[in-house]
Amino acid sequence: MEPVEAQRRPWVVGVSGASGTPYAAAVLRGLIAAGESVDLVVSRASRLTLLDETGIAFRDAHWRGDLEEWLARGADGKPRTFDVDVAAADIRHWAAGDLAAGPSSGSYPAKGMLIVPASTACVAGVALGLSKDLLQRTASVTLKERRPLVVAVRETPLSGQTLKQLVALDEAGAVVLPASPAFYAGATHIQDLVDFVAGRVLDAAGVPHRLYRRWKGELGASRTD
């Protein structure tokens, strides 16, 4: 019997329409830096948010160039802040309306899914098991296959209904991770706050990174380093 070839097992990154596209960019940069394979699903609503927050139009036919421009941009909006070679990275893009895409099936070998940022509409759809687009369908598949699902919800305040839906996701096995930056790491720039949230997302997925300063039990350490 011939040996079984190693399968490509990507992290699926879903980007919904909530404000917070810099969070998604930081997570994607972290996955690329860690040498992880990535499957990207950018919802239709998130493309409007991306255009509003960065001026970048994300197009299916030109996704690689648009993604490289997006990942190079800092959280403060400055272009060419980061040097990311998208062409050299193992990234696949799936159109949000393609319900026949690889990640729509449980037999597709994925490590899990990270939804960054997750809107309340996305939270509701996933909690209810809807499959109105590929993002929701992939999240449902991730849960049923008992794979890691991290939901970085970005909204404030939260309604009672959304809180119930987040509890439902937690009970279904997802990690509910509010996009809530901390300040103990010594943030001096908006990028530091964004990277803290992105780092916590990668922590939940078990992906190594150096995006933020970890707590070591020393008060004031961030002010003395």
Side-chain angles (χ1 to χ4, degrees):
M1 180 180 296
E2 295 183 359
V4 178
E5 294 183 4
Q7 285 185 317
R8 177 182 181 273
R9 295 186 66 235
W11 284 100
V12 181
V13 176
V15 186
S16 80
S19 176
T21 54
Y23 291 128
V27 166
L28 288 165
R29 286 192 297 265
L31 290 170
I32 292 171
E36 295 285 346
S37 300
V38 176
D39 277 19
L40 179 62
V41 181
V42 181
S43 76
R44 291 174 180 173
S46 70
R47 298 173 195 226
L48 296 176
T49 306
L50 181 64
L51 182 63
D52 181 58
E53 293 183 345
T54 69
I56 297 170
F58 192 90
R59 301 159 295 176
D60 288 337
H62 304 280
W63 70 269
R64 200 175 292 275
D66 295 338
L67 179 62
E68 186 155 313
E69 183 182 359
W70 177 18
L71 298 190
R73 191 174 296 261
D76 58 2
K78 292 182 180 179
R80 296 183 295 278
T81 299
F82 298 97
D83 184 13
V84 183
D85 189 354
V86 170
D90 183 7
I91 303 178
R92 291 181 183 174
H93 165 258
W94 301 96
D98 185 5
L99 291 178
S104 68
S105 172
S107 66
Y108 185 78
K111 287 186 177 180
M113 184 177 190
L114 315 175
I115 306 178
V116 188
S119 66
T120 54
C122 173
V123 166
V126 176
L128 294 172
L130 303 181
S131 295
K132 75 168 188 177
D133 61 10
L134 181 60
L135 194 157
Q136 290 185 6
R137 171 59 187 169
T138 303
S140 295
V141 167
T142 303
L143 288 175
K144 80 180 183 68
E145 296 295 328
R146 302 296 191 266
R147 295 169 183 161
L149 173 63
V150 182
V151 180
V153 59
R154 216 304 307 160
E155 185 59 273
T156 190
L158 294 171
S159 70
Q161 191 60 43
T162 298
L163 290 170
K164 292 176 183 177
Q165 290 159 351
L166 291 172
V167 169
L169 288 178
D170 176 78
E171 291 175 343
V175 174
V176 175
L177 196 152
S180 177
F183 295 85
Y184 63 77
T188 59
H189 190 276
I190 186 175
Q191 189 66 55
D192 298 326
L193 299 176
V194 168
D195 285 347
F196 180 87
V197 172
R200 295 300 287 151
V201 171
L202 296 178
D203 285 345
V207 176
H209 66 87
R210 294 182 179 178
L211 286 175
Y212 69 88
R213 185 198 314 267
R214 297 186 182 277
W215 175 251
K216 296 181 180 178
E218 301 173 9
L219 293 176
S222 64
R223 297 193 301 273
T224 59
D225 289 353

